Every structure is written in structure tokens, then in C-alpha cells.
Amino acid sequence: MSGWQPLPDGLPPEVRHFVTRLRDLKDATGLSLAALGARTAYSKSSWQRYLNAVQPPPRQAVAALARVAGLDAPDSERLAVRWEVAMEAWPRPERQQPEGEDVGPGTGYEDDPTVPWWERPEEPRRPPSGRLLLWAVLLLLALLLTAVVGAFAAG
């Protein structure tokens, strides 16, 4: 590795291996973080967080790095599998709960775009709004009235 800061202690081996692979790919491109950001549509600061294991990268960022690094299809697929394994093992930060706040069904990851959709808690379903039903009935009555008026006008 070239000038990378050490990865955090206690990082699971799957995550450590994955981030090390990302660092190697980035180094192989010869690009700076700013140039990598320009080529992948992820900012320099985002890449700093991903490559220092501060935040897990989204799958699309990993795919973009694979493309920029020139990986062939099998190597890109292996990297995607490593991403999945790392996401399973990635440590979740403890959510700080203000006193008196109900914990509820959430885990603190509802607004985190790096948490895969399949790990996010389901939002409770709300009953359909009565307003939508009212509009549907009004539209149906308007169509019926138009048909009746058209029938009388046509003779």
C-alpha cells in the first residue's frame, strides 16, 4: 500500500480484506482520489471514507472502481462477491439514543444509503387515504355524466 493510514483495529477480516483490495485497485489506476472521484461520480471525500473503512461503499461505487481499474468480468464479479461478504460483516455503529426517546422498530440505519435495502426495517403500511377513493368516485361520476350527455346529444 502506498501511504494509506492503518485500518481501524477490530475490523472484521472480511472487511479488512475487501478494503485492502479496493486500495490495491485504486493504487493500480495511478489516479489521485480527486481524479478517481471525477471518473466514478463519487467525491474525493467519499473515496477517502470508503478506502479508510470509515463508511462502507455502495455497490455502484465498487463497480465504478472496477470499471476504471479495467477489471474483466470474472474479476468484477469476484469483487462484487467480496463486497457482499464485507457488507455482511461491516461493523454497525451504536446508535446514540436520547433519554426518553422510544427505541421503536428502527435500528438507526433507516436513512443510511449504504445499508442494503434488504437489511432496512420495513416501514409500517398506512391504510389507504379516503381522499383517493373520493377522487376516484368523482372521476367515475364525471365519466358517467359525460356518457349520458353524449348519448342524448347523439340522439
Side-chain angles (χ1 to χ4, degrees):
M1 284 189 251
S2 61
W4 292 107
Q5 69 182 23
L7 292 173
D9 291 333
L11 204 59
E14 299 89 349
V15 174
R16 184 175 298 280
H17 181 71
F18 174 70
V19 172
T20 301
R21 178 70 176 128
L22 290 182
R23 287 176 169 189
D24 291 344
L25 283 173
K26 185 267 177 207
D27 288 344
T29 65
L31 298 171
S32 67
L33 288 175
L36 181 62
R39 290 222 182 146
T40 62
Y42 291 88
S43 68
K44 172 187 172 184
S45 59
S46 292
W47 280 113
Q48 285 174 330
R49 289 190 302 273
Y50 306 152
L51 296 170
N52 289 315
V54 173
Q55 178 183 359
R59 180 188 280 273
Q60 296 86 352
V62 174
L65 176 59
R67 182 180 31 75
V68 169
L71 292 184
D72 59 10
D75 285 339
S76 292
E77 183 62 30
R78 277 190 285 278
L79 187 62
V81 170
R82 285 183 180 170
W83 176 84
E84 290 175 8
V85 170
M87 291 306 100
E88 287 292 321
W90 205 285
R92 305 282 196 271
E94 291 295 322
R95 181 177 178 212
Q96 295 298 323
Q97 189 89 16
E99 283 190 39
E101 184 179 307
D102 186 21
V103 174
T107 60
Y109 297 102
E110 293 86 356
D111 298 327
D112 186 351
T114 61
V115 175
W117 63 267
W118 61 86
E119 289 186 10
R120 294 181 189 188
E122 279 193 36
E123 293 182 14
R125 292 188 178 262
R126 291 183 286 175
S129 170
R131 186 174 287 176
L132 180 62
L133 181 60
L134 176 64
W135 281 107
V137 169
L138 289 175
L139 180 62
L140 182 62
L141 287 174
L143 288 172
L144 185 60
L145 182 62
T146 304
V148 170
V149 170
F152 277 118

